[in-house]
Amino acid sequence: MTLQCLSLAAIVTLISSSLQPALAQSAREFLPPELPWSGRSEELILDADAEWVTPAERSGLTTTPRYTETVAWLERLVAAAPELSMMSIGQSAEGRHIWMVIASAEGAASPAALKAGNKPTLLVQAGIHSGEIDGKDAGMMLLRDMTVLDTRADLLSKANLLFIPILSVDGHERFSAYSRANQRGPLMMGWRTNARNLNLNRDYTKLETEEIRAVVGVIERWEPDLYLDLHVTDGADYQYDITWGYSRFDSWSPAITGWLNDSFTPAVTTTLEQWGHVPGPLVWPRNGTDLRQGNQMFSGSPRFSNQYGSARHLPTVLVENHSLKPY
C-alpha cells in the first residue's frame, strides 16, 4: 500500500510539473496586452542550434535553466575560455554552492591578480530574488560573447567582471509556474525567499543569511569598483522596460551619488535608448490602486543592497527589468 501511494504521488507530481507551464501561460491571460517590441538587443540572441546557445535562448527565451543545468553550462564555458574562472563563494542552508565567475582579459583569478591589472572591477549578482531571474540568463550570454564568441571581447579590455548567476540558490530551486503570476515569463521560476524563508535583500545589515554573508565576503576580499544587483519589478504597469535606482536623497556617499547622477545615468540611458529600450528611474506608485496619485522614489535603509553600498562607499545600483515586458 505504501509503495502504491508513493507511485501515485510520483505520477501526480510528474503530471503537475508537465502541466504547470501550460497552465501558467493561460493563467497570465489577465495581464495587460503585450505590446510589440523590437530593438538591437535581439541581435544578441543565438539560434537554437548554435554551439554556445544558452538554455534560455534554446527555448526561445521562454524558460530559464535549473541550478544544475546552469552550473553545468557555465563549467563548460569556463573550460573553453581562458579569460574565465569559477569559484564557490559559500554554501546555502541546503548545501548548494553559490558560484561566482571571474572574467578577466588576462585570466586573472584572484583579488591580487585583478588589482595588479589596474582596471576597474564590476560585481554583478543575479537572483537575489530568484523568481526575478533575467540577469542570470543575460549574464550567461554576456560571458559567452566576451569570450568564446569574441563579439564583445572589447569589454574585458576595459574592466574585469565578477558575476554571481544565482545568489538565492535554494530559492531558485523552489521552481513553480506560480511564483510570479504578475510576470511575463519565464514559464517557471524560483521563489522570492531562501530556504529559511528570509528575504536576502533585507539582510545586508543583520547578515543573518549564508547568501548575503557570501556576497559581502566578495565585497570585502575583491573590492569591486561598482556593484549591480539585478531584479525584476513587482508588476506596476509603466512604459519603461528597464529602471534602476541608488541612494539619492539620504546618501552616505554624496560624491558617489553625484557620479551616478551625472555620469553613470546619462551614459547608460543614452546607450539603452540607442538599442531601442525605454530606460527610466526606479519608481513605485504612491497608491497601487489609484495611479493618479503619482509615483515615488525612495532609497530605503542599509538592509537593501543599494543603500548598504552607499554606507560602504561602494557605488551600488539596483536594476529592475519590467515584469510585464517580454522575458
Side-chain angles (χ1 to χ4, degrees):
M1 182 67 179
T2 302
L3 288 176
Q4 289 176 340
C5 289
L6 288 173
S7 298
L8 179 60
I11 291 170
V12 170
T13 300
L14 180 62
I15 293 173
S16 174
S17 298
S18 64
L19 290 177
Q20 273 200 60
L23 291 173
Q25 190 76 0
S26 61
R28 290 189 174 92
E29 291 177 359
F30 70 88
L31 294 178
E34 183 175 332
L35 300 177
W37 181 86
S38 181
R40 284 183 60 195
S41 293
E42 294 170 304
E43 300 170 9
L44 303 172
I45 303 170
L46 291 189
D47 293 334
D49 58 353
E51 179 183 5
W52 285 105
V53 66
T54 65
E57 290 171 300
R58 187 180 295 113
S59 73
L61 296 180
T62 60
T63 66
T64 191
R66 299 291 293 267
Y67 172 85
T68 300
E69 187 180 5
T70 300
V71 173
W73 190 93
L74 287 168
E75 288 176 334
R76 175 173 167 254
L77 179 68
V78 168
E83 303 92 340
L84 302 181
S85 57
M86 188 171 167
M87 62 176 290
S88 171
I89 61 172
Q91 286 184 264
S92 67
E94 293 183 342
R96 293 182 178 88
H97 283 284
I98 304 165
W99 293 102
M100 181 174 77
V101 179
I102 302 104
S104 160
E106 298 77 24
S110 69
L114 287 191
K115 291 174 186 175
N118 200 30
K119 288 188 291 189
T121 294
L122 169 63
L123 170 62
V124 179
Q125 74 188 25
I128 189 171
H129 296 149
S130 56
E132 308 168 28
I133 205 61
D134 299 27
K136 177 192 72 176
D137 293 317
M140 293 165 71
M141 295 166 63
L142 176 63
L143 289 171
R144 170 201 67 204
D145 293 350
M146 293 192 303
T147 57
V148 293
L149 289 195
D150 198 31
T151 55
R152 298 311 306 271
D154 60 305
L155 297 177
L156 284 182
S157 70
K158 302 171 184 176
N160 310 305
L161 172 64
L162 305 175
F163 178 60
I164 302 170
I166 311 168
L167 185 58
S168 184
V169 288
D170 294 342
H172 187 278
E173 291 308 282
R174 290 180 65 183
F175 231 56
S176 170
Y178 307 106
S179 298
R180 302 262 300 176
N182 58 338
Q183 181 173 299
R184 208 182 298 279
L187 292 177
M188 299 179 69
M189 73 286 285
W191 191 245
R192 182 173 180 82
T193 55
N194 73 356
R196 296 193 282 132
N197 209 32
L198 295 171
N199 186 332
L200 302 187
N201 200 29
R202 307 294 185 272
D203 190 45
Y204 278 87
T205 43
K206 57 188 175 72
L207 297 177
E208 185 177 357
T209 62
E210 295 85 353
E211 298 89 345
I212 296 302
R213 290 199 296 268
V215 76
V216 167
V218 170
I219 293 170
E220 292 278 357
R221 291 189 296 273
W222 295 79
E223 297 182 330
D225 299 283
L226 177 62
Y227 177 25
L228 301 185
D229 179 17
L230 308 183
H231 292 251
V232 178
T233 63
D234 283 326
D237 190 6
Y238 46 63
Q239 187 177 12
Y240 307 130
D241 58 9
I242 184 167
T243 64
W244 59 89
Y246 45 85
S247 180
R248 292 175 182 263
F249 314 111
D250 48 0
S251 174
W252 278 278
S253 306
I256 288 175
T257 297
W259 176 79
L260 290 169
N261 283 335
D262 301 335
S263 297
F264 177 90
T265 291
V268 174
T269 297
T270 297
T271 302
L272 285 168
E273 288 175 344
Q274 290 172 348
W275 281 65
H277 294 279
V278 184
L282 180 57
V283 294
W284 286 266
R286 289 184 179 274
N287 184 332
T289 60
D290 184 3
L291 298 185
R292 292 172 298 182
Q293 295 186 23
N295 295 318
Q296 62 183 341
M297 293 182 183
F298 71 90
S299 297
S301 71
R303 63 182 183 149
F304 296 92
S305 61
N306 52 328
Q307 195 75 330
Y308 175 79
S310 174
R312 290 197 61 134
H313 309 303
L314 168 62
T316 303
V317 179
L318 191 153
V319 179
E320 296 263 10
N321 279 0
H322 191 244
S323 62
L324 298 177
K325 303 299 188 291
Y327 186 68

